Amino acid sequence: MNAGPERDASVFTRLNTEWTWVCAQGRYAQPVWSWLVEDGVQGAAGAPRSLEALLDWLEERSVREGHRFSDAWLGALLRRANGHDAGAQLAARTVVQAMLPAAVRMTQRSVRAGERLDEVAQVVVAALWQAVRSYPAGRRPEQVARHLRLEMWHHTSRDLKREFAPSGTELDERLTPEPGPQCDPVVRAEAVWLEQAAAEAGFEADLTGARREMVELLVWALSQKVLSRTAAVAIADHYREGAPGDRAAALAAGMNPAAFRQRRSRAVSTLRAAAGQWAAAA
């Protein structure tokens, strides 16, 4: 697959311009659509036959249905992206376009003093291509978008440290606040899924900052039966802004404060011991 448009100053502008050109060709939509149908992606047979509309449809469905749907269609494309023929290039290019908002956000939070945005963007986009081309779809069929972002960050941090070491500033993805998920459909889908899972588990609704990661861990612990629902709720309720004191919480649970604290302490110890498994699964 050869791109037709001329090069522009911004790598993201070039990629978006190239994607518009690819979509306008018409001949690229049928292979992508057929891969999704062959792999049994739900509803794919009735999906749009235009490549631009097809990707929009996939992203909108991901927002509504969560990572299980995005895992299915991203996996279908990634299984075909590890080659050098035209089909592999098209599959990889489609995934790159889907992940481009994540690459933009990663670029914005990775630029340090004395560095040029466009130079950092080149590194991030190269990292995205590498993550897509080397993704082990057979071994990592779940949470695909998250794994792609983690791999992209791994390559980005390594390459930026090597290429821009004189800046002397340690790279840390947490230095810049996470933008709202409205700019990334896959992130938005994950946010909707987490809100639903937290509500079903009985956790308080606050999913900002470090608490979000804790809630993700607790949701995982429930799904893997590491913790009981009662233990998970006790941890979630205690580690939040405005949480009641142990005496009030114990009274509401019908327990004495000492026993209540001991139960929560055991749950925290169990969760801490399992955190390594969660990190590996993420």
Side-chain angles (χ1 to χ4, degrees):
M1 181 179 63
N2 296 316
E6 296 181 359
R7 295 174 64 83
D8 188 85
S10 162
V11 63
F12 297 121
T13 300
R14 290 201 302 272
L15 286 170
N16 283 320
T17 301
E18 177 190 87
W19 182 249
T20 299
W21 180 88
V22 169
C23 292
Q25 302 312 298
R27 66 183 183 274
Y28 296 121
Q30 179 63 28
V32 175
W33 178 85
S34 65
W35 294 331
L36 301 177
V37 172
E38 288 170 15
D39 281 28
V41 175
Q42 187 178 26
R49 301 296 185 93
S50 146
L51 187 55
E52 183 175 18
L54 178 58
L55 185 57
D56 288 343
W57 179 84
L58 291 168
E59 292 175 338
E60 289 169 3
R61 285 280 303 272
S62 297
V63 170
R64 294 199 308 270
E65 300 178 32
H67 74 85
R68 287 179 179 82
F69 181 77
S70 62
D71 287 346
W73 67 265
L74 285 170
L77 297 179
L78 288 165
R79 281 188 288 275
R80 294 168 172 86
N82 292 327
H84 299 286
D85 60 10
Q89 293 180 46
L90 175 59
R93 182 64 182 85
T94 305
V95 176
V96 165
Q97 190 65 28
M99 298 297 298
L100 206 57
V104 172
R105 292 184 296 110
M106 191 168 292
T107 297
Q108 292 170 339
R109 71 167 71 100
S110 298
V111 177
R112 299 165 295 177
E115 296 172 359
R116 289 167 51 98
L117 181 67
D118 58 339
E119 291 177 343
V120 174
Q122 293 281 354
V123 173
V124 174
V125 168
L128 173 57
W129 274 103
Q130 186 173 355
V132 169
R133 285 293 204 170
S134 62
Y135 189 83
R139 289 190 292 107
R140 289 183 174 177
E142 298 180 351
Q143 298 281 355
V144 175
R146 173 178 290 180
H147 283 304
L148 282 172
R149 289 197 299 273
L150 289 173
E151 283 300 306
M152 180 167 55
W153 175 245
H154 170 73
H155 296 307
T156 294
S157 60
R158 179 199 63 195
D159 293 344
L160 287 181
K161 286 173 183 176
R162 182 173 61 219
E163 295 189 24
F164 300 119
S167 71
T169 304
E170 186 69 19
L171 280 168
D172 187 340
E173 197 175 12
R174 296 166 298 179
L175 290 176
T176 302
E178 182 77 8
Q182 64 274 12
C183 62
D184 186 339
V186 177
V187 173
R188 187 161 71 246
E190 291 183 357
V192 170
W193 169 81
L194 184 60
E195 288 173 4
Q196 293 173 343
E200 290 172 3
F203 302 155
E204 291 289 333
D206 181 18
L207 296 177
T208 59
R211 178 174 169 80
R212 178 186 179 85
E213 186 170 350
M214 184 194 70
V215 170
E216 288 182 353
L217 173 57
L218 289 171
V219 167
W220 171 85
L222 283 173
S223 71
Q224 299 299 309
K225 297 182 170 51
V226 172
L227 292 178
S228 68
R229 184 177 179 277
T230 300
V233 169
I235 295 174
D237 282 351
H238 181 71
Y239 295 101
R240 65 178 175 85
E241 187 175 353
D246 283 348
R247 185 174 297 278
L251 181 62
M255 300 176 64
N256 69 64
F260 184 82
R261 283 192 295 270
Q262 186 177 36
R263 186 180 69 177
R264 186 182 65 240
S265 178
R266 285 197 301 267
V268 170
S269 296
T270 300
L271 188 63
R272 185 179 295 116
Q277 300 173 39
W278 172 71

